[in-house]
Amino acid sequence: QAGLLTATTFAGSGASLTALPAAQLTGSLPAISGASLTGITTGKVLQVVSMNSTTAVTVTSASYVDVSISLAITPAATSSRILVIANLAGVTYTTSNSGVAKTQIVRGSTSISEKRTGNYTPGGTDNSWQGGLNMSIVDSPSTASEVTYKIQARKNEAVSISFEGTNGQSSFTLIEIGA
């Protein structure tokens, strides 16, 4: 067969070999690491901070209050961006025809994202909306100093909003991305 060579050993560099079928590569192959990659200057994940909470919290205030979900992160550079992800287990109870509650992500004392529960039209005996709230945002804090992110909630038209406890587990994650 033309072009077929059978050998057990080779001397020299194989750097100029091309078009080798992957199925023909056998034996111990070197591990590949991304640690020495160069030329990638943006989009690297620099650090991840996360927490889970099963602490029961019920909010009956019409104003935003903390719900015991808070994390701090110190960005490596002022150009870093922070991906904030909140997966909240919650139940909103209401006795009105259109009860909703609101939740927000706060950086320091500044609201950076707000979400409300779905409208609930009572039809059962407990008049409640049940479900989780998922929120995410990419934030640019423009600092290399520690930044605290937290979750706040308020009842809005609902009677109350409850998180965690027997209602499940909430998670909160901060991911620093190099700019």
Side-chain angles (χ1 to χ4, degrees), residues 73-136:
I73 191 167
T74 303
T78 58
S79 59
S80 290
R81 297 171 65 169
I82 308 296
L83 173 58
V84 183
I85 304 168
N87 297 303
L88 308 173
V91 177
T92 303
Y93 296 98
T94 183
T95 56
S96 70
N97 286 331
S98 179
V100 297
K102 291 188 175 181
T103 306
Q104 68 180 0
I105 298 173
V106 176
R107 177 192 356 100
S109 60
T110 303
S111 175
I112 59 171
S113 180
E114 182 180 60
K115 187 171 185 178
R116 65 183 218 148
T117 63
N119 284 340
Y120 172 75
T121 302
T125 57
D126 63 353
N127 293 337
S128 66
W129 175 89
Q130 297 184 355
L133 293 172
N134 300 309
M135 303 172 69
S136 63

Side-chain angles (χ1 to χ4, degrees), residues 32-38 40 44:
I32 298 173
S33 168
S36 60
L37 290 176
T38 60
I40 300 174
K44 292 182 185 177

Side-chain angles (χ1 to χ4, degrees), residues 1-174:
Q1 192 177 31
L4 178 63
L5 170 69
T6 303
T8 56
T9 61
F10 291 95
S13 169
S16 63
L17 294 175
T18 60
L20 294 174
Q24 300 299 314
L25 299 175
T26 61
S28 298
L29 299 174
I32 298 173
S33 168
S36 60
L37 290 176
T38 60
I40 300 174
T41 57
T42 62
K44 292 182 185 177
V45 172
L46 302 179
Q47 64 176 311
V48 177
V49 182
S50 65
M51 68 170 288
N52 294 317
S53 175
T54 56
T55 303
V57 177
T58 299
V59 176
T60 57
S61 172
S63 300
Y64 277 112
V65 295
D66 296 347
V67 295
S68 303
I69 298 175
S70 177
L71 282 174
I73 191 167
T74 303
T78 58
S79 59
S80 290
R81 297 171 65 169
I82 308 296
L83 173 58
V84 183
I85 304 168
N87 297 303
L88 308 173
V91 177
T92 303
Y93 296 98
T94 183
T95 56
S96 70
N97 286 331
S98 179
V100 297
K102 291 188 175 181
T103 306
Q104 68 180 0
I105 298 173
V106 176
R107 177 192 356 100
S109 60
T110 303
S111 175
I112 59 171
S113 180
E114 182 180 60
K115 187 171 185 178
R116 65 183 218 148
T117 63
N119 284 340
Y120 172 75
T121 302
T125 57
D126 63 353
N127 293 337
S128 66
W129 175 89
Q130 297 184 355
L133 293 172
N134 300 309
M135 303 172 69
S136 63
I137 188 168
V138 176
D139 185 40
S140 299
S142 300
T143 184
S145 299
E146 184 178 82
V147 180
T148 299
Y149 291 88
K150 62 185 174 182
I151 302 298
Q152 293 183 330
R154 67 184 183 106
K155 69 176 188 170
N156 208 33
E157 294 106 11
V159 172
S160 67
I161 181 170
S162 300
F163 294 97
E164 297 96 34
T166 59
N167 303 320
Q169 176 176 280
S170 294
S171 65
F172 194 42
T173 304
L174 307 176

